[in-house]
Amino acid sequence: MISEERRARLNERQFFGRRKGPALSPRQQDVMVRGYARYGIDLPEKSSAASASGASGPGDQGAVALDLSALFPAGIKSFGLEIGFGKGEHLAHQARTRPVMGFIGCEPFLNGMAACLDVLLRENITNVRVYMDDARAMIDALPDAGLDIVYLLHPDPWHKKRHAKRRFVNPDNLDALARVLKPGGELRIVTDDPVYRQWTAIRMTERTDFHWMAEKPADWRTPPADWIDTRYALKAGREGRLDCFFRYQKL
């Protein structure tokens, strides 16, 4: 798992909020134990030399990249990542829709992880693996150009100006995602927050390694064909907050 040294550095700019909600029931605790044993990912540790230098990512000396093919059943050769999957509704939907793609989901919130694992176990979904910690640690461990698609759906907007540095869409994280996405791969960002919409558009316009796939306004107002309305998205719609669908191709 992630070292305490690495955790301390990541926590300097944490992009998610709380890790726990209401106490898990005995059944949910059982789901967590059985589910994480089957679906959970333990990250490889870096060598002591790399840790001492503060290096991260498989391109750095001593770092070990995950073998994505080894995580999933035979025959899966394409891979996706969802950053902050909530209760896993979208993650499970994508896994059902694309049974020959392997999906990694990152979610630090205990109750959300338990809900997702419950679905994975009940439906015996085999092409998902999960990580219950900071997604940036997972991204650090991924191989160069290893992913076909990355989803960042409804990230915390961190409305206060002093918290803007905690927004996931920032140059460092975008550099990391550019490294792990294949040329032609897709970065999909969905938000219902007008501040985050503007923030994302500005940050992504500054990039030369991503191409915005929208050709007309309707393209970023219309959900992709494989979209599913999660409970969060439905609630936002009832409250008059409409999703904006940003889709970018890695150059």
Side-chain angles (χ1 to χ4, degrees), residues 156-180:
D156 192 325
W158 292 102
H159 287 117
K160 295 181 180 178
K161 186 176 181 180
R162 69 176 184 271
H163 291 158
K165 64 182 181 180
R166 296 182 180 271
R167 294 170 185 161
F168 193 90
V169 176
N170 64 56
D172 287 345
N173 290 338
L174 293 175
D175 286 346
L177 293 179
R179 179 185 68 79
V180 300

PDB file of all heavy atoms in Angstrom, residues 156-180:
ATOM      1  N   ASP A 156     -15.143  17.121  -6.428  1.00  0.00           N
ATOM      2  CA  ASP A 156     -15.435  18.148  -5.434  1.00  0.00           C
ATOM      3  C   ASP A 156     -14.994  19.504  -5.984  1.00  0.00           C
ATOM      4  O   ASP A 156     -13.829  19.680  -6.342  1.00  0.00           O
ATOM      5  CB  ASP A 156     -14.677  17.845  -4.135  1.00  0.00           C
ATOM      6  CG  ASP A 156     -15.152  18.690  -2.965  1.00  0.00           C
ATOM      7  OD1 ASP A 156     -15.506  19.867  -3.184  1.00  0.00           O
ATOM      8  OD2 ASP A 156     -15.170  18.180  -1.839  1.00  0.00           O
ATOM      9  N   PRO A 157     -15.894  20.492  -6.079  1.00  0.00           N
ATOM     10  CA  PRO A 157     -15.532  21.784  -6.678  1.00  0.00           C
ATOM     11  C   PRO A 157     -14.677  22.679  -5.783  1.00  0.00           C
ATOM     12  O   PRO A 157     -14.073  23.628  -6.272  1.00  0.00           O
ATOM     13  CB  PRO A 157     -16.883  22.440  -6.966  1.00  0.00           C
ATOM     14  CG  PRO A 157     -17.815  21.829  -5.971  1.00  0.00           C
ATOM     15  CD  PRO A 157     -17.340  20.415  -5.782  1.00  0.00           C
ATOM     16  N   TRP A 158     -14.615  22.384  -4.480  1.00  0.00           N
ATOM     17  CA  TRP A 158     -13.828  23.212  -3.546  1.00  0.00           C
ATOM     18  C   TRP A 158     -14.087  24.701  -3.836  1.00  0.00           C
ATOM     19  O   TRP A 158     -13.229  25.406  -4.351  1.00  0.00           O
ATOM     20  CB  TRP A 158     -12.339  22.884  -3.650  1.00  0.00           C
ATOM     21  CG  TRP A 158     -11.989  21.514  -3.160  1.00  0.00           C
ATOM     22  CD1 TRP A 158     -11.728  20.424  -3.912  1.00  0.00           C
ATOM     23  CD2 TRP A 158     -11.865  21.089  -1.789  1.00  0.00           C
ATOM     24  NE1 TRP A 158     -11.445  19.339  -3.121  1.00  0.00           N
ATOM     25  CE2 TRP A 158     -11.521  19.724  -1.805  1.00  0.00           C
ATOM     26  CE3 TRP A 158     -12.001  21.745  -0.555  1.00  0.00           C
ATOM     27  CZ2 TRP A 158     -11.329  18.978  -0.638  1.00  0.00           C
ATOM     28  CZ3 TRP A 158     -11.808  21.004   0.607  1.00  0.00           C
ATOM     29  CH2 TRP A 158     -11.480  19.645   0.559  1.00  0.00           C
ATOM     30  N   HIS A 159     -15.266  25.155  -3.466  1.00  0.00           N
ATOM     31  CA  HIS A 159     -15.730  26.481  -3.875  1.00  0.00           C
ATOM     32  C   HIS A 159     -14.896  27.635  -3.341  1.00  0.00           C
ATOM     33  O   HIS A 159     -14.712  28.650  -4.022  1.00  0.00           O
ATOM     34  CB  HIS A 159     -17.192  26.669  -3.422  1.00  0.00           C
ATOM     35  CG  HIS A 159     -18.164  25.883  -4.237  1.00  0.00           C
ATOM     36  ND1 HIS A 159     -18.944  24.881  -3.710  1.00  0.00           N
ATOM     37  CD2 HIS A 159     -18.466  25.932  -5.556  1.00  0.00           C
ATOM     38  CE1 HIS A 159     -19.715  24.374  -4.660  1.00  0.00           C
ATOM     39  NE2 HIS A 159     -19.442  24.981  -5.777  1.00  0.00           N
ATOM     40  N   LYS A 160     -14.377  27.523  -2.129  1.00  0.00           N
ATOM     41  CA  LYS A 160     -13.649  28.646  -1.558  1.00  0.00           C
ATOM     42  C   LYS A 160     -12.351  28.895  -2.316  1.00  0.00           C
ATOM     43  O   LYS A 160     -11.638  27.957  -2.670  1.00  0.00           O
ATOM     44  CB  LYS A 160     -13.361  28.393  -0.076  1.00  0.00           C
ATOM     45  CG  LYS A 160     -14.621  28.331   0.776  1.00  0.00           C
ATOM     46  CD  LYS A 160     -14.292  28.108   2.241  1.00  0.00           C
ATOM     47  CE  LYS A 160     -15.566  28.053   3.084  1.00  0.00           C
ATOM     48  NZ  LYS A 160     -15.285  27.800   4.513  1.00  0.00           N
ATOM     49  N   LYS A 161     -12.044  30.152  -2.533  1.00  0.00           N
ATOM     50  CA  LYS A 161     -10.875  30.512  -3.325  1.00  0.00           C
ATOM     51  C   LYS A 161      -9.598  29.927  -2.738  1.00  0.00           C
ATOM     52  O   LYS A 161      -8.718  29.457  -3.464  1.00  0.00           O
ATOM     53  CB  LYS A 161     -10.766  32.038  -3.416  1.00  0.00           C
ATOM     54  CG  LYS A 161      -9.668  32.520  -4.347  1.00  0.00           C
ATOM     55  CD  LYS A 161      -9.688  34.039  -4.473  1.00  0.00           C
ATOM     56  CE  LYS A 161      -8.600  34.510  -5.431  1.00  0.00           C
ATOM     57  NZ  LYS A 161      -8.611  35.997  -5.574  1.00  0.00           N
ATOM     58  N   ARG A 162      -9.518  29.905  -1.413  1.00  0.00           N
ATOM     59  CA  ARG A 162      -8.288  29.402  -0.786  1.00  0.00           C
ATOM     60  C   ARG A 162      -8.146  27.890  -0.940  1.00  0.00           C
ATOM     61  O   ARG A 162      -7.074  27.340  -0.684  1.00  0.00           O
ATOM     62  CB  ARG A 162      -8.259  29.788   0.697  1.00  0.00           C
ATOM     63  CG  ARG A 162      -9.279  29.084   1.573  1.00  0.00           C
ATOM     64  CD  ARG A 162      -9.081  29.480   3.036  1.00  0.00           C
ATOM     65  NE  ARG A 162      -9.956  28.768   3.941  1.00  0.00           N
ATOM     66  CZ  ARG A 162     -11.166  29.158   4.295  1.00  0.00           C
ATOM     67  NH1 ARG A 162     -11.660  30.284   3.767  1.00  0.00           N
ATOM     68  NH2 ARG A 162     -11.894  28.454   5.139  1.00  0.00           N
ATOM     69  N   HIS A 163      -9.230  27.229  -1.339  1.00  0.00           N
ATOM     70  CA  HIS A 163      -9.192  25.789  -1.529  1.00  0.00           C
ATOM     71  C   HIS A 163      -9.031  25.392  -3.001  1.00  0.00           C
ATOM     72  O   HIS A 163      -9.019  24.202  -3.322  1.00  0.00           O
ATOM     73  CB  HIS A 163     -10.468  25.138  -0.991  1.00  0.00           C
ATOM     74  CG  HIS A 163     -10.581  25.187   0.497  1.00  0.00           C
ATOM     75  ND1 HIS A 163     -11.795  25.083   1.155  1.00  0.00           N
ATOM     76  CD2 HIS A 163      -9.636  25.329   1.465  1.00  0.00           C
ATOM     77  CE1 HIS A 163     -11.590  25.164   2.464  1.00  0.00           C
ATOM     78  NE2 HIS A 163     -10.295  25.306   2.668  1.00  0.00           N
ATOM     79  N   ALA A 164      -8.904  26.367  -3.893  1.00  0.00           N
ATOM     80  CA  ALA A 164      -8.853  26.071  -5.325  1.00  0.00           C
ATOM     81  C   ALA A 164      -7.706  25.124  -5.668  1.00  0.00           C
ATOM     82  O   ALA A 164      -7.817  24.309  -6.595  1.00  0.00           O
ATOM     83  CB  ALA A 164      -8.727  27.358  -6.129  1.00  0.00           C
ATOM     84  N   LYS A 165      -6.619  25.199  -4.914  1.00  0.00           N
ATOM     85  CA  LYS A 165      -5.471  24.338  -5.198  1.00  0.00           C
ATOM     86  C   LYS A 165      -5.797  22.859  -4.978  1.00  0.00           C
ATOM     87  O   LYS A 165      -5.064  21.976  -5.434  1.00  0.00           O
ATOM     88  CB  LYS A 165      -4.285  24.728  -4.325  1.00  0.00           C
ATOM     89  CG  LYS A 165      -4.511  24.520  -2.830  1.00  0.00           C
ATOM     90  CD  LYS A 165      -3.301  24.980  -2.032  1.00  0.00           C
ATOM     91  CE  LYS A 165      -3.512  24.759  -0.530  1.00  0.00           C
ATOM     92  NZ  LYS A 165      -2.330  25.213   0.258  1.00  0.00           N
ATOM     93  N   ARG A 166      -6.923  22.575  -4.286  1.00  0.00           N
ATOM     94  CA  ARG A 166      -7.315  21.190  -4.039  1.00  0.00           C
ATOM     95  C   ARG A 166      -8.151  20.597  -5.176  1.00  0.00           C
ATOM     96  O   ARG A 166      -8.471  19.412  -5.139  1.00  0.00           O
ATOM     97  CB  ARG A 166      -8.096  21.094  -2.723  1.00  0.00           C
ATOM     98  CG  ARG A 166      -7.280  21.466  -1.484  1.00  0.00           C
ATOM     99  CD  ARG A 166      -8.112  21.285  -0.225  1.00  0.00           C
ATOM    100  NE  ARG A 166      -7.368  21.632   0.980  1.00  0.00           N
ATOM    101  CZ  ARG A 166      -6.617  20.785   1.682  1.00  0.00           C
ATOM    102  NH1 ARG A 166      -6.511  19.533   1.276  1.00  0.00           N
ATOM    103  NH2 ARG A 166      -5.978  21.177   2.759  1.00  0.00           N
ATOM    104  N   ARG A 167      -8.532  21.393  -6.135  1.00  0.00           N
ATOM    105  CA  ARG A 167      -9.311  20.868  -7.253  1.00  0.00           C
ATOM    106  C   ARG A 167      -8.460  19.887  -8.053  1.00  0.00           C
ATOM    107  O   ARG A 167      -7.299  20.164  -8.368  1.00  0.00           O
ATOM    108  CB  ARG A 167      -9.803  22.007  -8.138  1.00  0.00           C
ATOM    109  CG  ARG A 167     -10.815  22.901  -7.425  1.00  0.00           C
ATOM    110  CD  ARG A 167     -11.127  24.165  -8.206  1.00  0.00           C
ATOM    111  NE  ARG A 167     -11.997  25.036  -7.419  1.00  0.00           N
ATOM    112  CZ  ARG A 167     -12.162  26.339  -7.654  1.00  0.00           C
ATOM    113  NH1 ARG A 167     -11.522  26.922  -8.659  1.00  0.00           N
ATOM    114  NH2 ARG A 167     -12.961  27.045  -6.884  1.00  0.00           N
ATOM    115  N   PHE A 168      -9.064  18.766  -8.395  1.00  0.00           N
ATOM    116  CA  PHE A 168      -8.287  17.716  -9.053  1.00  0.00           C
ATOM    117  C   PHE A 168      -7.745  18.171 -10.402  1.00  0.00           C
ATOM    118  O   PHE A 168      -6.638  17.780 -10.803  1.00  0.00           O
ATOM    119  CB  PHE A 168      -9.121  16.447  -9.234  1.00  0.00           C
ATOM    120  CG  PHE A 168      -8.276  15.271  -9.623  1.00  0.00           C
ATOM    121  CD1 PHE A 168      -7.723  14.445  -8.662  1.00  0.00           C
ATOM    122  CD2 PHE A 168      -8.003  15.007 -10.961  1.00  0.00           C
ATOM    123  CE1 PHE A 168      -6.902  13.381  -9.018  1.00  0.00           C
ATOM    124  CE2 PHE A 168      -7.193  13.945 -11.335  1.00  0.00           C
ATOM    125  CZ  PHE A 168      -6.636  13.131 -10.354  1.00  0.00           C
ATOM    126  N   VAL A 169      -8.521  18.968 -11.123  1.00  0.00           N
ATOM    127  CA  VAL A 169      -8.052  19.457 -12.423  1.00  0.00           C
ATOM    128  C   VAL A 169      -7.034  20.555 -12.174  1.00  0.00           C
ATOM    129  O   VAL A 169      -7.380  21.716 -11.932  1.00  0.00           O
ATOM    130  CB  VAL A 169      -9.225  19.964 -13.289  1.00  0.00           C
ATOM    131  CG1 VAL A 169      -8.700  20.554 -14.599  1.00  0.00           C
ATOM    132  CG2 VAL A 169     -10.200  18.830 -13.579  1.00  0.00           C
ATOM    133  N   ASN A 170      -5.777  20.168 -12.178  1.00  0.00           N
ATOM    134  CA  ASN A 170      -4.673  21.116 -12.005  1.00  0.00           C
ATOM    135  C   ASN A 170      -3.490  20.614 -12.825  1.00  0.00           C
ATOM    136  O   ASN A 170      -3.466  19.462 -13.269  1.00  0.00           O
ATOM    137  CB  ASN A 170      -4.316  21.291 -10.526  1.00  0.00           C
ATOM    138  CG  ASN A 170      -3.793  20.025  -9.882  1.00  0.00           C
ATOM    139  OD1 ASN A 170      -2.827  19.437 -10.359  1.00  0.00           O
ATOM    140  ND2 ASN A 170      -4.413  19.602  -8.784  1.00  0.00           N
ATOM    141  N   PRO A 171      -2.499  21.458 -13.085  1.00  0.00           N
ATOM    142  CA  PRO A 171      -1.407  21.053 -13.991  1.00  0.00           C
ATOM    143  C   PRO A 171      -0.695  19.773 -13.585  1.00  0.00           C
ATOM    144  O   PRO A 171      -0.399  18.928 -14.452  1.00  0.00           O
ATOM    145  CB  PRO A 171      -0.468  22.268 -13.942  1.00  0.00           C
ATOM    146  CG  PRO A 171      -1.375  23.424 -13.668  1.00  0.00           C
ATOM    147  CD  PRO A 171      -2.404  22.894 -12.721  1.00  0.00           C
ATOM    148  N   ASP A 172      -0.409  19.587 -12.303  1.00  0.00           N
ATOM    149  CA  ASP A 172       0.307  18.383 -11.878  1.00  0.00           C
ATOM    150  C   ASP A 172      -0.495  17.118 -12.187  1.00  0.00           C
ATOM    151  O   ASP A 172       0.040  16.140 -12.724  1.00  0.00           O
ATOM    152  CB  ASP A 172       0.609  18.436 -10.374  1.00  0.00           C
ATOM    153  CG  ASP A 172       1.700  19.431 -10.037  1.00  0.00           C
ATOM    154  OD1 ASP A 172       2.413  19.871 -10.973  1.00  0.00           O
ATOM    155  OD2 ASP A 172       1.848  19.780  -8.849  1.00  0.00           O
ATOM    156  N   ASN A 173      -1.772  17.122 -11.819  1.00  0.00           N
ATOM    157  CA  ASN A 173      -2.597  15.933 -12.064  1.00  0.00           C
ATOM    158  C   ASN A 173      -2.831  15.697 -13.548  1.00  0.00           C
ATOM    159  O   ASN A 173      -2.873  14.552 -14.009  1.00  0.00           O
ATOM    160  CB  ASN A 173      -3.936  16.057 -11.337  1.00  0.00           C
ATOM    161  CG  ASN A 173      -3.793  15.953  -9.833  1.00  0.00           C
ATOM    162  OD1 ASN A 173      -2.813  15.410  -9.331  1.00  0.00           O
ATOM    163  ND2 ASN A 173      -4.768  16.477  -9.110  1.00  0.00           N
ATOM    164  N   LEU A 174      -2.978  16.771 -14.314  1.00  0.00           N
ATOM    165  CA  LEU A 174      -3.159  16.605 -15.756  1.00  0.00           C
ATOM    166  C   LEU A 174      -1.894  16.080 -16.412  1.00  0.00           C
ATOM    167  O   LEU A 174      -1.955  15.282 -17.358  1.00  0.00           O
ATOM    168  CB  LEU A 174      -3.592  17.933 -16.379  1.00  0.00           C
ATOM    169  CG  LEU A 174      -4.985  18.421 -15.965  1.00  0.00           C
ATOM    170  CD1 LEU A 174      -5.254  19.801 -16.533  1.00  0.00           C
ATOM    171  CD2 LEU A 174      -6.074  17.438 -16.414  1.00  0.00           C
ATOM    172  N   ASP A 175      -0.722  16.502 -15.920  1.00  0.00           N
ATOM    173  CA  ASP A 175       0.531  15.930 -16.411  1.00  0.00           C
ATOM    174  C   ASP A 175       0.556  14.429 -16.164  1.00  0.00           C
ATOM    175  O   ASP A 175       0.971  13.644 -17.028  1.00  0.00           O
ATOM    176  CB  ASP A 175       1.731  16.576 -15.707  1.00  0.00           C
ATOM    177  CG  ASP A 175       2.013  17.993 -16.185  1.00  0.00           C
ATOM    178  OD1 ASP A 175       1.466  18.400 -17.225  1.00  0.00           O
ATOM    179  OD2 ASP A 175       2.788  18.686 -15.498  1.00  0.00           O
ATOM    180  N   ALA A 176       0.127  14.025 -14.966  1.00  0.00           N
ATOM    181  CA  ALA A 176       0.135  12.609 -14.608  1.00  0.00           C
ATOM    182  C   ALA A 176      -0.831  11.817 -15.483  1.00  0.00           C
ATOM    183  O   ALA A 176      -0.518  10.707 -15.936  1.00  0.00           O
ATOM    184  CB  ALA A 176      -0.215  12.435 -13.132  1.00  0.00           C
ATOM    185  N   LEU A 177      -2.016  12.377 -15.728  1.00  0.00           N
ATOM    186  CA  LEU A 177      -2.984  11.682 -16.577  1.00  0.00           C
ATOM    187  C   LEU A 177      -2.502  11.605 -18.020  1.00  0.00           C
ATOM    188  O   LEU A 177      -2.732  10.602 -18.706  1.00  0.00           O
ATOM    189  CB  LEU A 177      -4.340  12.373 -16.500  1.00  0.00           C
ATOM    190  CG  LEU A 177      -5.045  12.296 -15.150  1.00  0.00           C
ATOM    191  CD1 LEU A 177      -6.377  13.045 -15.201  1.00  0.00           C
ATOM    192  CD2 LEU A 177      -5.274  10.848 -14.729  1.00  0.00           C
ATOM    193  N   ALA A 178      -1.822  12.651 -18.490  1.00  0.00           N
ATOM    194  CA  ALA A 178      -1.268  12.618 -19.844  1.00  0.00           C
ATOM    195  C   ALA A 178      -0.229  11.508 -19.975  1.00  0.00           C
ATOM    196  O   ALA A 178      -0.114  10.874 -21.036  1.00  0.00           O
ATOM    197  CB  ALA A 178      -0.648  13.969 -20.185  1.00  0.00           C
ATOM    198  N   ARG A 179       0.496  11.249 -18.906  1.00  0.00           N
ATOM    199  CA  ARG A 179       1.508  10.188 -18.944  1.00  0.00           C
ATOM    200  C   ARG A 179       0.880   8.805 -19.069  1.00  0.00           C
ATOM    201  O   ARG A 179       1.366   7.951 -19.812  1.00  0.00           O
ATOM    202  CB  ARG A 179       2.385  10.244 -17.689  1.00  0.00           C
ATOM    203  CG  ARG A 179       3.448   9.143 -17.641  1.00  0.00           C
ATOM    204  CD  ARG A 179       4.219   9.150 -16.339  1.00  0.00           C
ATOM    205  NE  ARG A 179       3.395   8.769 -15.195  1.00  0.00           N
ATOM    206  CZ  ARG A 179       3.070   7.509 -14.887  1.00  0.00           C
ATOM    207  NH1 ARG A 179       3.467   6.496 -15.662  1.00  0.00           N
ATOM    208  NH2 ARG A 179       2.331   7.250 -13.825  1.00  0.00           N
ATOM    209  N   VAL A 180      -0.209   8.557 -18.331  1.00  0.00           N
ATOM    210  CA  VAL A 180      -0.762   7.200 -18.275  1.00  0.00           C
ATOM    211  C   VAL A 180      -1.772   6.907 -19.383  1.00  0.00           C
ATOM    212  O   VAL A 180      -2.112   5.749 -19.610  1.00  0.00           O
ATOM    213  CB  VAL A 180      -1.398   6.908 -16.898  1.00  0.00           C
ATOM    214  CG1 VAL A 180      -0.356   7.048 -15.795  1.00  0.00           C
ATOM    215  CG2 VAL A 180      -2.593   7.816 -16.620  1.00  0.00           C
TER     216      VAL A 180
END
